[in-house]
């Protein structure tokens, strides 16, 4: 089944403890992106990647890191989480060519709470 | 910062009624306007989308109306059903980087 898989689904951590949220897609998509969803703010883009080893900042990149060493994986790293990073996070992917290149495929989300 | 303003924040409609959600944008560089539907516990999923050279697009009960001069677009759900109850996000894309700017979302409840 074609899908974007995020792990973990739920995560509770404490301020300053490094964490990684994994994202993997099995559709051979070039484009991958991370969003955070907050009430009243919609989804805001954190980082995106157009292909392996190519990443760029979105609208709210502060406090986050990403890497794209393989085409299928795009982990989100919080080196020193803070309470204002408590949010619902979504990973998404999309092909860059072809008839479906305008559709973003989203994972099921990771609910992060930073205490 | 690029913005897409969405209204209303929440909407309650009777079964069979018409649901209308509105969005407005500022940046004329946006070239693609999708709507995403999100059910509780799930990620958003593309519902319908339009390009600015078209004034209307219809897919089944869902229609996007686009007004380029006013920089506004809206989603109309005809014959709304309880299964349509979800959160709807409008979005606008700029450039070849596929960067989407999302609206703040509308929680739609369709009463049986």
């Amino acid at each position: 089944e074609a899908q974007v898989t995020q792990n973990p689904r739920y995560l509770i951590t404490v301020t300053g403890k490094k964490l990684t949220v994994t994202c993997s897609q099995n559709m051979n998509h070039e484009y991958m992106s991370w969003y955070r969803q907050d009430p009243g703010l919609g989804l805001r883009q954190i980082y995106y990647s157009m292909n392996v080893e190519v990443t760029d900042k979105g609208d709210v990149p502060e406090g986050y890191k990403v890497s794209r060493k393989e085409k299928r994986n795009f982990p989100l790293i919080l080196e020193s989480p803070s309470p204002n990073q408590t949010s619902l996070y979504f990973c998404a992917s999309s092909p860059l060519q072809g008839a479906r290149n305008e559709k973003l495929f989203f994972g099921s989300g990771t609910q992060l709470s930073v205490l | 910062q690029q913005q897409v303003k969405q209204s209303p924040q929440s909407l309650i409609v009777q079964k069979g009624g018409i649901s209308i959600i509105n969005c407005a944008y500022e940046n004329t560089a946006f070239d693609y306007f999708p709507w995403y539907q999100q059910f509780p516990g799930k990620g958003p999923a593309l519902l319908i989308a339009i390009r600015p050279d078209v004034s209307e697009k219809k897919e089944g009960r869902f229609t996007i109306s686009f007004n380029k001069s006013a920089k506004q677009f809206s989603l109309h759900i005809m014959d709304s059903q309880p299964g349509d109850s979800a959160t709807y996000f409008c979005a606008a894309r700029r450039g070849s980087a596929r960067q989407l700017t999302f609206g703040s979302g509308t929680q739609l409840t369709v009463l049986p």
Side-chain angles (χ1 to χ4, degrees):
Chain A
E1 180 187 357
Q3 60 185 358
V4 178
T5 303
Q6 293 179 229
N7 281 296
R9 189 69 184 270
Y10 302 94
L11 181 57
I12 301 174
T13 189
V14 295
T15 299
K17 185 176 181 181
K18 181 179 178 180
L19 66 90
T20 299
V21 183
T22 64
C23 174
S24 180
Q25 51 92 5
N26 62 1
M27 296 170 279
N28 201 36
H29 288 168
E30 295 84 6
Y31 181 88
M32 297 186 75
S33 181
W34 276 102
Y35 293 86
R36 60 177 289 174
Q37 182 176 354
D38 301 289
L41 297 177
L43 293 101
R44 294 178 293 168
Q45 189 179 50
I46 303 170
Y47 269 93
Y48 66 96
S49 170
M50 301 288 281
N51 215 324
V52 176
E53 301 292 0
V54 181
T55 64
D56 209 344
K57 296 178 181 179
D59 296 318
V60 289
E62 295 77 19
Y64 304 95
K65 285 176 56 178
V66 292
S67 68
R68 188 91 182 271
K69 294 183 171 60
E70 303 167 284
K71 195 173 186 179
R72 63 183 292 125
N73 296 322
F74 191 45
L76 179 68
I77 303 157
L78 284 73
E79 294 270 4
S80 182
S82 62
N84 64 12
Q85 292 178 300
T86 292
S87 185
L88 178 59
Y89 291 86
F90 287 100
C91 180
S93 71
S94 171
L96 287 179
Q97 304 295 331
R100 305 182 74 187
N101 67 349
E102 295 172 333
K103 178 179 178 179
L104 270 179
F105 293 80
F106 282 86
S108 296
T110 296
Q111 180 65 58
L112 171 65
S113 296
V114 183
L115 305 177
Chain B
Q1 186 174 354
Q2 316 288 355
Q3 280 195 335
V4 176
K5 296 182 179 179
Q6 183 172 346
S7 64
Q9 186 174 359
S10 63
L11 181 61
I12 300 175
V13 175
Q14 292 285 343
K15 178 182 176 180
I18 302 173
S19 304
I20 301 174
I21 304 170
N22 301 300
C23 285
Y25 63 96
E26 299 172 356
N27 190 342
T28 55
F30 289 137
D31 61 359
Y32 174 71
F33 300 87
W35 285 88
Y36 279 79
Q37 179 188 53
Q38 183 182 31
F39 293 104
K42 302 291 186 182
L46 180 65
L47 181 63
I48 188 173
I50 197 168
R51 293 191 175 278
D53 55 348
V54 176
S55 62
E56 184 175 284
K57 183 173 182 180
K58 183 176 181 179
E59 291 183 1
R61 296 184 294 109
F62 300 91
T63 300
I64 300 178
S65 297
F66 189 86
N67 186 329
K68 189 174 182 178
S69 61
K71 292 188 281 188
Q72 295 175 346
F73 59 110
S74 60
L75 176 69
H76 297 238
I77 306 175
M78 310 299 289
D79 186 27
S80 299
Q81 300 295 312
D84 296 331
S85 297
T87 300
Y88 293 81
F89 293 97
C90 63
R93 189 189 71 183
R94 62 191 184 278
S96 60
R98 301 291 193 275
Q99 289 182 274
L100 281 178
T101 299
F102 284 86
S104 55
T106 296
Q107 185 167 352
L108 171 65
T109 302
V110 181
L111 301 176

